[in-house]
Amino acid sequence: MRITDTSDLWWKTAVVYCLDVETFMDWNGDGVGDFEGLSHRIDYLAQLGITCIWLMPFYPTPDRDDGYDIVDFYDVDDRLGSLGDFVEFVRTANDRGIRVIADLVVNHTSDKHPWFRSARSSKDSPHRDFYVWRSDEPPDTSAEVVFPGEQEGIWEYDEKTKEYFLHRFYKHQPDLNVANPAVRDEIARIMGFWLQLGLAGFRVDAVPFFLETLGASEAEQQSFGDPHEYQRALRSFLGRRRGEAIMLGEVGLPYEEQMAYFGGVDGDELTMQFDFEAMEQMYLSLARQDARPLAETLRRRPEISREAQFATFVRNHDELHLGLLSEEEMQEVFAAFGPEERMQVYGRGLVRRLPPMLDGDPRRIRMVYSLMFALPGTPVLFYGEEIGMGENPDLDGRLAVRTPMQWSPDENAGFSTAPARKLVAPVVEGGFGPEHINVEDQRHDPDSLLNFVATLIRQFRESPEIGWGEYELLDQPHDAVLAHRCSWQGSSVIALHNFAAEPCTVPLELKSLDGDAVLVDLLQPGRTPLEEGRAELTLDGYGYRWLRISRPDELRLA
Ligand code: GLC
């Protein structure tokens, strides 16, 4: 393995930034963000240091699930611009060293999609089998819904043809029938189309549901065979069309089950998966001010193939999912970070961003982002995290965290010149509103969260040990402290994170090191000599330190 491999397997050291075009920057003043606005902000993102943009769905949509309900897989929603604007954006991002991936939402379509309109018009429609139908009355499926409280079951009766169709998500999102070869052809065509226009891969939506064949006919299931064979075939197809392209899958399952979606030890299915387990356990650790839940999770995280990668994250566009915790653990996190009912959704999540959950405490907020960038894997930021944006609790459910990007303290947070009532979503108000939290102010403040995150990104990019290396948890006496070491190519970075308010001193014993090595701080000035591999390191309350082990003959920059 060589340093130049980091360009080949680029995703292993990437910094991903997720955004929704419609809430990022509005350039034509209609209240809706657009590709032109986004293109104007590429230099901001490049300066921040991110290397990959993940675009949430930008396809034509009736917008009943924030764009995850698509009516045309081959176009850009009119409100956001044109295919031409899209291509110019991708080209400009690429010029600044930024790759672009986008949501691939092919578990379902909108019920307004021409395929579904045709499918429901008659049982003889050529598109009938694009979807999953049953004629007999379904049993009670209320326990299987993804959005409890917003959905009653997973089968919906269709008056015209008097059959039920499958919808894993909302009833306006009929599931595509992946067991039908014609559907699979379309999926390949959709992927090929966007790869040809410059995408470097996809964030694949709802993978386990996408691959399931519930409700397909016996014959279809037989000929479809093992869904993982299909996922393997998709990965190969992706590689043939664009060698460097990735599939970053949404698989919100425990590690053991995620392994199958990576393609086991062969790693020939999804390139990356979000690490939901570590994310959820991190919140438990924060709630308890005890690093052990996270440490134990990292200890049992399975080894994956050299090319595969876990994506680490603190928040995403959905609810803060806590469904992998036990009921009591989830209640602990609710009590700490979202005690009010309106902060909770679906009995398993919180609709808040991190800073309000931590009462805006800058020490804790910085500790969490330091941790995210130091955890083994590829960090994924959700827009606005870099400035510490909060949510708008008045918005329904998951929409609370999808408010306009806060660029300046001005009207509409500098997002749009349209009248406030025309904005695609209302701006956050109060303590986390744009008067207090915005890019413009933070750009000019060397001590801002924005500049801190930029520093983390720079150090992460200069520390391929984190994205590529092997990691180990280091023994030390404090339950509140997570101490880990990432090593690669004979070089190591050590990270210490204190989940508690009390400062402490962490004694470290690093085996197999001679007396000449020094620990060089990467986030602040400081050098600590190691004596026979031992050092004592102080940590503030909620403190964090990254240290590179530097030997006298070290060529790597520290
Ligand atoms: C995924 C998305 C979510 C969406 C759902 C249906 O879970 O993250 O936002 O509602 O799929 O497409």
Side-chain angles (χ1 to χ4, degrees):
M1 240 182 275
R2 296 164 303 153
I3 185 69
T4 43
D5 289 338
T6 55
S7 66
D8 215 6
L9 274 56
W10 61 270
W11 55 91
K12 298 207 59 150
T13 47
V15 178
V16 182
Y17 187 97
C18 167
L19 63 87
D20 191 348
V21 179
E22 73 175 3
T23 50
F24 204 59
M25 184 65 211
D26 168 21
W27 210 255
N28 63 2
D30 66 353
V32 183
D34 41 48
F35 274 103
E36 198 180 353
L38 172 55
S39 293
H40 278 275
R41 292 294 189 251
I42 292 175
D43 285 311
Y44 162 77
L45 295 172
Q47 290 309 316
L48 179 59
I50 62 114
T51 65
C52 177
I53 293 172
W54 151 24
L55 296 176
M56 285 170 62
F58 53 81
Y59 317 99
T61 174
D63 222 9
R64 296 181 65 192
D65 183 17
D66 209 20
Y68 284 88
D69 48 329
I70 296 170
V71 290
D72 182 356
F73 288 107
Y74 298 100
D75 207 348
V76 168
D77 193 281
D78 278 346
R79 298 168 312 142
L80 313 182
S82 65
L83 276 172
D85 296 322
F86 170 85
V87 169
E88 288 184 341
F89 153 69
V90 173
R91 182 184 156 75
T92 312
N94 289 168
D95 174 71
R96 312 300 202 270
I98 297 175
R99 291 180 171 87
V100 182
I101 64 172
D103 254 289
L104 178 70
V105 189
V106 284
N107 172 67
H108 49 264
T109 67
S110 158
D111 62 353
K112 301 283 180 301
H113 194 292
W115 298 339
F116 191 69
R117 284 179 191 272
S118 155
R120 79 189 325 181
S121 69
S122 139
K123 282 188 187 166
D124 303 323
S125 152
H127 289 103
R128 184 74 177 176
D129 291 337
F130 268 45
Y131 297 88
V132 185
W133 299 92
R134 66 186 288 162
S135 46
D136 57 331
E137 196 178 326
D140 176 8
T141 52
S142 54
E144 289 175 56
V145 302
V146 179
F147 302 131
E150 297 180 11
Q151 215 189 323
E152 276 153 30
I154 61 171
W155 294 98
E156 182 68 13
Y157 187 64
D158 189 55
E159 284 295 337
K160 177 91 193 282
T161 55
K162 312 224 174 312
E163 285 191 336
Y164 300 82
F165 63 86
L166 176 70
H167 62 93
R168 277 297 186 173
F169 295 92
Y170 295 113
K171 64 181 178 198
H172 58 78
Q173 288 167 318
D175 272 39
L176 282 166
N177 177 14
V178 73
N180 177 349
V183 169
R184 297 201 296 277
D185 283 349
E186 277 293 348
I187 292 171
R189 193 173 291 129
I190 293 162
M191 290 169 70
F193 178 81
W194 294 104
L195 292 170
Q196 198 77 25
L197 292 188
L199 285 190
F202 303 94
R203 178 264 187 190
V204 190
D205 192 56
V207 177
F209 290 137
F210 159 51
L211 290 181
E212 78 174 359
T213 52
L214 176 76
S217 73
E218 196 76 1
E220 276 176 332
Q221 298 212 19
Q222 281 269 313
S223 73
F224 182 58
D226 177 2
H228 288 281
E229 278 303 328
Y230 170 52
Q231 191 167 248
R232 211 163 282 137
L234 265 190
R235 171 77 181 274
S236 307
F237 168 79
L238 181 82
R240 287 195 300 279
R241 288 295 174 93
R242 189 161 176 175
E244 63 158 19
I246 60 161
M247 288 199 283
L248 163 55
E250 182 199 25
V251 182
L253 295 174
Y255 285 141
E256 308 80 68
E257 292 173 58
Q258 284 191 308
M259 278 313 281
Y261 292 90
F262 273 128
V265 283
D266 294 338
D268 51 3
E269 297 186 36
L270 293 174
T271 330
M272 295 213 275
Q273 288 180 59
F274 295 101
D275 190 343
F276 280 93
E277 287 238 38
M279 182 277 292
E280 297 185 23
Q281 297 287 340
M282 180 197 74
Y283 280 96
L284 184 61
S285 276
L286 287 170
R288 290 185 180 167
Q289 311 225 353
D290 181 341
R292 288 175 299 175
L294 177 57
E296 278 151 29
T297 307
L298 291 173
R299 274 200 191 94
R300 63 183 174 78
R301 194 205 240 185
E303 207 169 311
I304 51 177
S305 84
R306 190 180 80 109
E307 298 198 4
Q309 180 73 313
F310 277 108
T312 55
F313 66 111
V314 166
R315 278 302 278 118
N316 65 15
H317 63 289
D318 286 325
E319 77 279 9
L320 162 51
H321 186 270
L322 298 167
L324 299 177
L325 300 178
S326 72
E327 183 60 33
E328 300 82 72
E329 292 168 340
M330 188 161 70
Q331 292 306 330
E332 276 182 75
V333 179
F334 279 177
F337 300 131
E340 293 168 38
E341 204 174 310
R342 62 182 188 136
M343 300 169 173
Q344 305 167 4
V345 267
Y346 313 138
R348 58 156 191 258
L350 292 172
V351 286
R352 309 189 77 192
R353 283 186 179 245
L354 180 81
M357 288 194 278
L358 299 180
D359 299 322
D361 184 340
R363 299 169 307 164
R364 291 184 93 183
I365 295 167
R366 287 176 192 224
M367 191 280 280
V368 171
Y369 286 108
S370 165
L371 177 66
M372 177 175 96
F373 282 94
L375 283 179
T378 292
V380 181
L381 280 168
F382 181 48
Y383 77 95
E385 283 192 285
E386 72 275 25
I387 52 170
M389 269 171 61
E391 69 278 352
N392 185 336
D394 298 335
L395 297 180
D396 234 20
R398 296 173 295 159
L399 294 178
V401 302
R402 303 179 184 178
T403 57
M405 179 66 180
Q406 293 173 197
W407 296 106
S408 76
D410 306 335
E411 194 65 22
N412 299 335
F415 157 73
S416 171
T417 54
R421 67 189 152 75
K422 287 191 131 184
L423 297 193
V424 65
V427 167
V428 171
E429 288 172 15
F432 291 93
E435 315 86 75
H436 308 286
I437 308 283
N438 68 74
V439 170
E440 232 169 67
D441 290 348
Q442 294 195 23
R443 266 154 64 85
H444 303 294
D445 173 3
D447 295 326
S448 64
L449 182 63
L450 176 63
N451 280 312
F452 176 68
V453 171
T455 302
L456 291 173
I457 293 177
R458 197 184 81 221
Q459 290 298 351
F460 170 81
R461 292 284 290 165
E462 290 183 3
S463 306
E465 295 92 339
I466 299 172
W468 271 86
E470 318 235 296
Y471 67 91
E472 59 176 312
L473 279 302
L474 301 176
D475 287 334
Q476 49 78 42
H478 304 289
D479 292 344
V481 173
L482 185 83
H484 72 284
R485 171 178 176 174
C486 300
S487 307
W488 183 62
Q489 303 271 285
S491 130
S492 290
V493 171
I494 288 170
L496 304 177
H497 289 88
N498 184 0
F499 284 69
E502 297 77 41
C504 62
T505 301
V506 183
L508 283 186
E509 192 173 338
L510 303 167
K511 290 164 205 115
S512 68
L513 273 182
D514 58 40
D516 287 339
V518 172
L519 292 175
V520 181
D521 270 284
L522 299 181
L523 301 178
Q524 63 192 53
R527 296 168 76 85
T528 312
L530 280 161
E531 278 157 34
E532 292 179 16
R534 293 205 185 107
E536 304 237 315
L537 296 152
T538 55
L539 265 187
D540 292 337
Y542 305 123
Y544 44 84
R545 285 173 79 173
W546 294 23
L547 306 128
R548 167 158 291 124
I549 301 176
S550 181
R551 297 186 184 78
D553 56 353
E554 181 70 61
L555 294 177
R556 215 178 278 274
L557 276 175

